[in-house]
Amino acid sequence: MLVALCGGVGAARMLSGLVRVKAPEDITAIVNVGDDTVLHGLHISPDLDTVTYTLAGMDNRETGWGVVGESWTVMEELARLGGEDWFRLGDRDLATHLFRTGRLRGGEPLSAVTAELSRRRGIAVRLLPVTDDPLRTRVTLAEASPLGPAGTEVGFQDYFVRLRHDVAVSGIRFEGAAAARPSAGVLESLELADAIVVCPSNPVVSIGPVLAVPGVRDALVARRERVVAVSPIIAGAALKGPADRLLTELGAEASVVGVARLYAPWAGTLVVDTADAGRAGEVEAEGVRCIVAPTVMSSPERAADLARVVVDAAV
Ligand code: FO1
């Protein structure tokens, strides 16, 4: 059985490759919930939804989130009413949030609701939120913004969407992490996995919250030789999103060497893009085996090629 640690769009692409080289029912995805937020009274789980929509083939490829071929009738009417419309919720996407919120209100844990949504959407990959307990990424801004002076702490979606992550960050914390328990199956799957893949998601705000849940990091350390990570940083930059800036702003190096240094305690192997072939020696100097391969998943076939490299590296 293969386990994948997942954030948003990079993880969804990786999973769409993994399901072409491993039977989907043999794959367990442990997904970040630190991006989750409650808006209009609805519980929204962006990374779980991005992964679900991608595996169901209903994802919006352009944006990397939400449903393909969306209509925006509700959002347009809400805007006319003067409601909050900075976080775009399409009509079909809203059905997911209504379904999830109703079940959570009924007392079901997030993992049960996620399993039901996966089943209804015909997904065989087992999707597990890393925890069913509250876990929220909080971002302290290093400079003034429309949300307040330097030093203001905001929610992840305020930072990522409302401010378009176009603001320097001085601190990140994962509210609720200390009390969060891994959801059922998380630790067992890590203990039993033949291979553990760390998807090319943001090391700070996607992989970070997953490892912040007590027990997860130790489970990875114990299986380090089976852990294969794919660098989300290529030639010093992130393909999408603020991963490179966040690494620098928080004192790490925005490069494959910086990622290797962060991941060295619990990942035995790091796959880097061919653009970083010249830095393989420096990655290995961090005590991490380095594999060089194309990591830009520009098509399902390319994602499958990378998945093959990752699966072969784990044995
Ligand atoms: N990202 C945006 O940049 N703008 C949006 O309006 C937006 C809406 C949205 C709605 C549902 C959802 O599941 C994700 C959404 N995202 C949006 C992406 C979201 O910010 C994710 O957390 C990021 O992709 C990082 O994982």
Side-chain angles (χ1 to χ4, degrees):
M1 183 256 287
L2 181 143
V3 174
L5 299 192
C6 301
V9 62
R13 294 267 168 87
M14 186 77 257
L15 282 172
S16 60
L18 287 168
V19 294
R20 295 161 75 99
V21 300
K22 295 284 287 184
E25 50 278 353
D26 290 343
I27 299 174
T28 294
I30 297 173
V31 186
N32 171 40
V33 291
D35 289 13
D36 286 20
T37 186
V38 175
L39 273 175
H40 318 295
L42 298 176
H43 184 120
I44 297 164
S45 299
D47 285 348
L48 282 167
D49 290 343
T50 294
V51 166
T52 304
Y53 292 152
T54 301
L55 289 173
M58 60 191 284
D59 60 305
N60 179 327
R61 292 273 152 82
E62 281 69 55
T63 55
W65 52 267
V67 178
V68 66
E70 263 295 14
S71 55
W72 302 92
T73 313
V74 174
M75 270 286 116
E76 284 154 13
E77 184 61 23
L78 184 62
R80 268 192 286 278
L81 296 172
E84 278 195 280
D85 67 343
W86 57 273
F87 196 77
R88 311 296 301 156
L89 295 166
D91 298 327
R92 293 177 73 195
D93 191 32
L94 273 167
T96 300
H97 312 314
L98 290 168
F99 182 95
R100 174 184 293 119
T101 303
R103 296 255 173 149
L104 290 173
R105 286 263 168 81
E108 280 188 66
L110 182 60
S111 42
V113 180
T114 302
E116 188 61 15
L117 280 168
S118 300
R119 192 178 68 78
R120 303 275 178 111
R121 287 179 161 144
I123 291 164
V125 171
R126 189 183 182 206
L127 297 188
L128 294 177
V130 62
T131 180
D132 286 333
D133 297 321
L135 178 64
R136 295 288 177 275
T137 300
R138 305 283 299 164
V139 182
T140 300
L141 305 178
E143 50 194 344
S145 79
L147 298 184
T152 301
E153 185 182 72
V154 299
F156 179 76
Q157 299 303 340
D158 286 320
Y159 161 70
F160 191 87
V161 178
R162 210 165 183 177
L163 298 174
R164 288 184 302 285
H165 50 78
D166 192 13
V167 56
V169 167
S170 58
I172 295 271
R173 70 185 177 94
F174 308 123
E175 189 177 56
R181 292 154 296 168
S183 50
V186 164
L187 295 183
E188 295 81 351
S189 64
L190 290 171
E191 280 150 27
L192 297 174
D194 304 311
I196 299 170
V197 178
V198 181
C199 296
S201 298
N202 187 315
V204 179
V205 293
S206 296
I207 303 301
V210 173
L211 266 73
V213 175
V216 173
R217 194 179 190 282
D218 293 344
L220 287 171
V221 170
R223 306 297 313 284
R224 184 179 184 277
E225 78 289 345
R226 296 276 182 172
V227 181
V228 180
V230 178
S231 174
I233 302 291
I234 297 176
L239 286 183
K240 188 178 166 72
D244 44 12
R245 288 219 323 281
L246 280 174
L247 283 167
T248 309
E249 286 160 2
L250 296 173
E253 186 185 315
S255 71
V256 291
V257 180
V259 174
R261 205 166 287 149
L262 266 181
Y263 288 7
W266 43 268
T269 303
L270 181 66
V271 180
V272 305
D273 190 73
T274 45
D276 287 301
R279 304 204 69 177
E282 294 170 80
V283 167
E284 302 233 326
E286 296 297 328
V288 178
R289 180 172 62 132
C290 187
I291 293 178
V292 180
T295 63
V296 179
M297 297 177 275
S298 45
S299 69
E301 292 71 29
R302 298 296 295 270
D305 293 342
L306 178 58
R308 232 167 255 111
V309 167
V310 166
V311 168
D312 293 347
V315 295

